[in-house]
């Protein structure tokens, strides 16, 4: 059963592979932008934006190529496809996070003091936010066809980024997060505890989202 | 006779259309033509068989297994060809194999390569660059490359020229030479059925109007024509797809009911086309 889930994740990767060629340029653009803006963390946030686009590519490509009969003819259950897509998003998130964690120190060395922090906590936070957005979006895409769901699919992402934008203001008022610690990787103030708690909450939410997606997709006529 | 495919009481209701109590069976070693006019429910029936649609009632058994309970086992041995290619347009034919191969335990790369060669398909080409006939052949190559025992084709010849259609029919005849296999293909082109179908199932308005051996059907019904006013009400009711025009009437009659009709009507063997037209008319009368 798990093998079929992995096969479905690989099928998703193959489905979008030819659409990823321009990703190389977009990744390069992210690096250039962070050098120009002298902001090492821009590599990571730019990466998350690209990831959010890429995470819905399998839905878009499968609908535009009318691939429903392929999924209907392959020897797999619907839950394999759903779980495979969540696995695909998770793997994409991890790979992108790893890339940005490699690039960020390089960018940091080019533009600021070599003593700046490694930004690992920030990268992990962004990975968690990406998975959270997927968890919010995917049930919409599994429940409706791509054309209908793309209108509402970005709403969760908008809410999350609005929250991130407002967070410094909220943080200033409520002293929620020690931003310096977050960016420098300093474990003071229970930062790692906070991140672990956030990671656990995201994973639980991710799994719940997968269950909801399966229930919606299982009822759908393809 | 072992049935390779058995559909019993399949039903599905949509707004504006209902598939009602569809039942038919296909024994091993035979080809069934699933025929009906556009919008009759052929594709709906096939999608229900593949669990792409949620059925309201009924059961489907393929290769001796329930299609819901043993879905993955069945699909290992099932080949599906639809009227449109369902692969990513940007995939090359080699990418199609890479995408499908992991799912099938009996995938044969050699068979796939040989079939592409036989069908004159260039591996390096992209799916989107293939003509309609080539896409059909690609889907058949993929369906045959994992040792499928049951082929289900949904309007595979629609939009194809006569040469390609003839090629496709030859491929299916080759496939069915193994008596443990079966083919169900839906079409609205009766010429294809005349060439290769052993069984015919006719569907119209979401209902199966007949399902039997093609030869038995052709023997069972006769084409009847005559002048206006020749038949009384009882005799008209005995005809299937009764239709009047300016100079007379036409319809089908079961051989055993021929004695009911006057001696001066013109009787001749019916063609498959006539069978489909008359049953379609009869189906519309029931719907009205």
């Amino acid at each position: 059963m798990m093998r079929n889930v992995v096969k479905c994740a690989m099928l998703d990767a193959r489905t979008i592979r030819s659409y990823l060629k321009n990703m190389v340029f977009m990744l390069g653009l992210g690096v250039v932008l962070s050098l120009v803006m002298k902001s090492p963390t821009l590599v990571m946030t730019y990466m998350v934006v690209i990831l959010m686009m890429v995470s819905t590519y399998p839905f878009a490509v499968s609908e535009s190529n009318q691939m429903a009969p392929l999924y209907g003819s392959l020897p797999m259950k619907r839950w394999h496809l759903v779980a495979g897509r969540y696995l695909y998003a998770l793997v994409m998130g991890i790979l992108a996070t790893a890339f940005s964690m490699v690039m960020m120190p390089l960018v940091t060395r080019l533009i600021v003091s070599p003593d700046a922090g490694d930004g690992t906590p920030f990268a992990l936070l962004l990975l968690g936010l990406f998975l959270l957005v997927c968890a919010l979006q995917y049930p919409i895409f599994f429940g409706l066809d791509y054309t209908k769901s793309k209108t509402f699919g970005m709403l969760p992402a908008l809410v999350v980024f609005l929250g991130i934008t407002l967070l410094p203001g909220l943080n200033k008022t409520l002293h929620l997060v020690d931003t310096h610690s977050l960016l420098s990787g300093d474990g003071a103030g229970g930062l790692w505890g906070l991140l672990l708690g956030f990671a656990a909450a995201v994973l639980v939410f991710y799994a719940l989202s997968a269950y909801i997606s399966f229930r919606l997709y299982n009822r759908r006529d393809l | 006779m072992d049935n390779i495919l058995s559909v019993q009481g399949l039903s599905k209701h949509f707004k504006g259309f209902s598939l009602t109590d569809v039942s038919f069976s296909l024994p091993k070693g035979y080809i069934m033509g699933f025929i009906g006019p556009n919008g009759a429910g052929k594709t709906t029936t096939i999608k229900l068989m593949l669990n792409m649609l949620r059925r309201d009632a009924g059961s489907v058994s393929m290769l001796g297994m329930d299609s819901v309970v043993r879905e993955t086992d069945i699909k290992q041995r099932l080949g599906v060809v639809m009227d449109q290619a369902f692969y990513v347009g940007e995939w090359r034919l080699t990418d199609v194999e890479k995408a499908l191969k992991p799912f099938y335990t009996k995938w044969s790369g050699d068979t796939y390569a040989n079939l592409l060669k036989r069908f004159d398909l260039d591996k390096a080409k992209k799916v989107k660059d293939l003509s309609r006939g080539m896409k059909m052949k690609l889907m058949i190559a993929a369906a045959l490359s994992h040792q499928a025992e049951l082929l289900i084709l949904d309007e595979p010849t629609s939009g194809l020229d006569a040469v390609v259609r003839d090629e496709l029919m030859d491929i299916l005849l080759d496939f069915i030479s193994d008596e443990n296999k079966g083919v169900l293909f839906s079409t609205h082109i009766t010429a294809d059925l005349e060439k290769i179908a052993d069984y015919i199932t006719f569907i119209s308005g979401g209902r199966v109007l007949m399902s039997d051996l093609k030869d038995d059907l052709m023997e069972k019904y006769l084409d009847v024509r005559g002048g206006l006013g020749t038949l009384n009400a009882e005799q008209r009711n005995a005809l299937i797809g009764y239709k009047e025009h300016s100079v007379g009437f036409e319809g089908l009659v079961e051989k055993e009911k021929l004695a009911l009709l006057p001696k001066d009507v013109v009787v001749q063997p019916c063609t498959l086309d006539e069978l489909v037209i008359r049953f379609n008319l009869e189906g519309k009368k029931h719907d009205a």
Side-chain angles (χ1 to χ4, degrees):
Chain A
M1 294 295 161
M2 279 312 295
R3 269 192 285 186
N4 267 359
V5 172
V6 172
K7 288 172 194 172
C8 289
M10 286 172 60
L11 179 62
D12 280 346
R14 260 187 219 293
T15 297
I16 67 158
R17 200 186 61 163
S18 43
Y19 298 90
L20 288 180
K21 286 172 192 166
N22 63 345
M23 291 290 291
V24 174
F25 300 104
M26 290 176 76
L27 290 172
L29 182 62
V31 173
V32 167
L33 274 175
S34 61
L35 286 169
V36 166
M37 303 298 288
K38 294 195 191 321
S39 169
T41 56
L42 191 57
V43 171
M44 292 185 181
T45 48
Y46 190 79
M47 183 65 56
V48 170
V49 171
I50 295 175
L51 268 182
M52 285 187 190
M53 284 165 40
V54 170
S55 68
T56 60
Y57 272 16
F59 296 100
V61 173
S62 62
E63 182 158 308
S64 69
N65 288 276
Q66 297 175 55
M67 290 172 67
L70 175 65
Y71 301 137
S73 64
L74 286 174
M76 62 175 182
K77 296 273 196 188
R78 289 196 187 199
W79 76 262
H80 295 150
L81 183 74
V82 172
R85 198 145 296 171
Y86 276 80
L87 178 61
Y88 152 83
L90 179 63
V91 169
M92 293 289 279
I94 291 170
L95 288 175
T97 303
F99 174 82
S100 58
M101 282 169 66
V102 164
M103 291 311 300
M104 192 188 145
L106 287 175
V107 170
T108 305
R109 280 181 189 282
L110 284 171
I111 58 174
V112 292
S113 155
D115 297 327
D118 66 349
T120 303
F122 188 61
L124 293 175
L125 176 68
L126 285 181
L127 173 61
L129 285 172
F130 163 69
L131 293 177
L132 189 63
V133 170
C134 284
L136 291 167
Q137 277 188 325
Y138 272 16
I140 300 171
F141 283 92
F142 273 112
L144 304 170
D145 58 50
Y146 179 75
T147 313
K148 283 182 197 153
S149 50
K150 67 181 178 180
T151 309
F152 304 105
M154 287 310 292
L155 276 178
L158 281 172
V159 166
V160 170
F161 282 111
L162 202 63
I164 292 172
T165 309
L166 291 173
L167 195 62
L170 276 171
N171 192 33
K172 208 173 174 181
T173 315
L174 301 170
H175 304 287
L176 290 170
V177 174
D178 182 348
T179 318
H180 175 75
S181 297
L182 195 70
L183 291 174
S184 68
D186 182 0
L191 174 67
W192 284 104
L194 192 69
L195 279 174
L196 273 171
F198 177 63
V202 165
L203 285 173
V204 166
F205 196 61
Y206 202 65
L208 180 63
S209 169
Y211 175 73
I212 294 170
S213 291
F214 166 67
R215 292 298 299 262
L216 290 170
Y217 191 58
N218 205 36
R219 283 189 354 219
R220 231 177 101 186
D221 286 337
L222 301 179
Chain B
M1 249 190 305
D2 271 344
N3 286 330
I4 198 167
L5 169 67
S6 179
V7 177
Q8 299 297 329
L10 207 55
S11 297
K12 173 74 179 177
H13 303 288
F14 298 98
K15 211 173 172 182
F17 176 78
S18 288
L19 199 78
T20 310
D21 199 25
V22 167
S23 301
F24 58 88
S25 298
L26 171 65
K28 279 186 187 177
Y30 292 97
I31 295 177
M32 174 176 278
F34 190 37
I35 192 160
N38 292 331
K42 302 187 292 294
T43 301
T44 301
T45 304
I46 287 173
K47 284 185 170 183
L48 282 165
M49 286 161 55
L50 296 175
N51 298 328
M52 288 174 63
L53 302 177
R54 317 312 287 173
R55 63 186 77 146
D56 292 330
S59 65
V60 177
S61 163
M62 291 193 248
L63 301 157
M65 297 179 276
D66 183 272
S67 69
V68 171
V69 174
R70 303 281 300 274
E71 182 176 7
T72 49
D73 294 329
I74 287 170
K75 288 178 178 175
Q76 282 286 345
R77 297 153 66 185
L78 178 70
V80 176
V81 177
M82 305 299 267
D83 61 340
Q84 307 261 5
F86 43 70
Y87 306 125
V88 177
E90 290 293 325
W91 281 351
R92 298 187 191 279
L93 305 200
T94 45
D95 294 325
V96 171
E97 182 179 12
K98 285 176 190 169
L100 301 183
K101 184 177 171 179
F103 289 92
Y104 294 103
T105 52
K106 289 187 181 177
W107 181 273
S108 165
D110 289 339
T111 304
Y112 184 69
N114 289 337
L115 284 167
L116 291 188
K117 202 172 174 184
R118 177 182 165 187
F119 298 156
D120 232 357
L121 297 173
D122 182 359
K123 272 191 203 180
K125 265 199 159 172
K126 290 188 179 180
V127 172
K128 66 178 183 178
D129 295 330
L130 300 178
S131 68
R132 184 166 162 66
M134 286 172 163
K135 284 178 186 172
M136 199 54 55
K137 289 179 189 175
L138 170 63
M139 283 195 280
I140 290 174
L144 297 180
S145 295
H146 62 266
Q147 322 303 324
E149 294 166 45
L150 174 62
L151 280 187
I152 295 178
L153 305 101
D154 185 23
E155 309 238 15
T157 57
S158 179
L160 299 182
D161 63 56
V163 172
V164 178
R165 279 181 19 224
D166 196 58
E167 270 186 80
L168 176 60
M169 297 301 116
D170 288 341
I171 292 164
L172 295 181
L173 284 170
D174 259 349
F175 177 80
I176 209 68
S177 60
D178 181 338
E179 289 179 354
N180 290 311
K181 295 182 177 173
V183 175
L184 172 79
F185 82 97
S186 77
T187 182
H188 57 270
I189 303 172
T190 49
D192 298 335
L193 298 181
E194 273 171 349
K195 186 169 178 185
I196 65 167
D198 303 300
Y199 284 80
I200 303 280
T201 294
F202 180 70
I203 186 170
S204 178
R207 289 175 188 276
V208 169
L209 298 183
M210 58 162 164
S211 183
D212 208 338
L213 278 162
K214 183 183 72 181
D215 292 340
D216 286 355
L217 282 171
M218 306 295 278
E219 281 188 21
K220 187 177 175 183
Y221 297 97
L222 292 165
D223 185 77
V224 175
R225 291 159 200 258
L228 282 173
T230 310
L231 305 178
N232 59 34
E234 188 196 349
Q235 288 165 336
R236 280 197 296 275
N237 285 339
L239 293 190
I240 296 162
Y242 175 83
K243 184 178 164 188
E244 280 183 4
H245 44 77
S246 55
V247 295
F249 75 87
E250 53 197 20
L252 282 183
V253 70
E254 283 183 52
K255 234 181 205 171
E256 59 197 32
K257 292 184 180 174
L258 187 59
L260 289 173
L261 303 180
K263 299 278 185 263
D264 56 348
V265 295
V266 176
V267 178
Q268 56 197 13
C270 73
T271 61
L272 197 50
D273 262 338
E274 276 299 315
L275 209 63
V276 168
I277 291 167
R278 297 291 150 228
F279 269 93
N280 190 37
L281 268 173
E282 194 68 21
K284 282 181 181 167
K285 272 191 222 165
H286 283 299
D287 291 341

